[in-house]
Amino acid sequence: MASLAEFETAPTGTVYRSSQEGGWTDASVGDKLYEGFESNNTQGNNYRVKLFSNAEIFLNSTTTVYINNLSGVVKYRESGGGWAEVGDPGSYEVMAVATRDQSSVSLGLLARGGYRPPAWD
């Protein structure tokens, strides 16, 4: 199974798990995230993940994320449910962020995220 993302930063409190029923594991820079994994920071610290090609991170509610290091086509899901293309690095209010083939992006976030292949097409 190919990884969908990896941690670029993992400040104190950054954790991940392989399913909603699994226990949380402390994250380290470079740890890979696969389909069905979740990430979070238990201490409110901003952590950063890199989404690889054909990957999506989805959030339980609309959340501000910082989008940087754009490569290829990257889209975000708005609170109304529609998808919009990311034009420039910056802060965005999103429910999800997804990449196409040959794309990647770095995301700074505080919220719990879930990972899967992209749902938009």
Side-chain angles (χ1 to χ4, degrees):
M1 170 189 332
S3 58
L4 299 175
E6 75 177 14
F7 287 100
E8 290 186 320
T9 65
T12 302
T14 305
V15 293
Y16 68 95
R17 63 184 178 180
S18 60
S19 71
Q20 289 187 343
E21 293 78 38
W24 293 96
T25 300
D26 290 335
S28 296
V29 172
D31 283 352
K32 305 289 190 234
L33 298 158
Y34 299 88
E35 185 173 356
F37 276 45
E38 289 184 304
S39 63
N40 196 21
N41 189 288
T42 61
Q43 296 185 13
N45 292 320
N46 190 311
Y47 63 98
R48 197 169 67 230
V49 296
K50 180 176 183 174
L51 280 184
F52 301 135
S53 292
N54 295 313
E56 178 184 350
I57 180 171
F58 60 92
L59 309 163
N60 289 338
S61 62
T62 302
T63 303
T64 301
V65 300
Y66 184 76
I67 297 176
N68 198 9
N69 300 323
L70 297 160
S71 174
V73 177
V74 177
K75 292 189 176 185
Y76 65 98
R77 186 174 211 154
E78 302 167 306
S79 61
W83 288 95
E85 190 165 338
V86 176
D88 295 307
S91 295
Y92 290 81
E93 292 289 319
V94 307
M95 293 187 68
V97 176
T99 59
R100 286 246 193 230
D101 191 38
Q102 307 285 321
S103 300
S104 64
V105 66
S106 294
L107 304 169
L109 63 155
L110 292 168
R112 181 185 301 185
Y115 300 85
R116 62 185 174 205
W120 55 276
D121 247 341

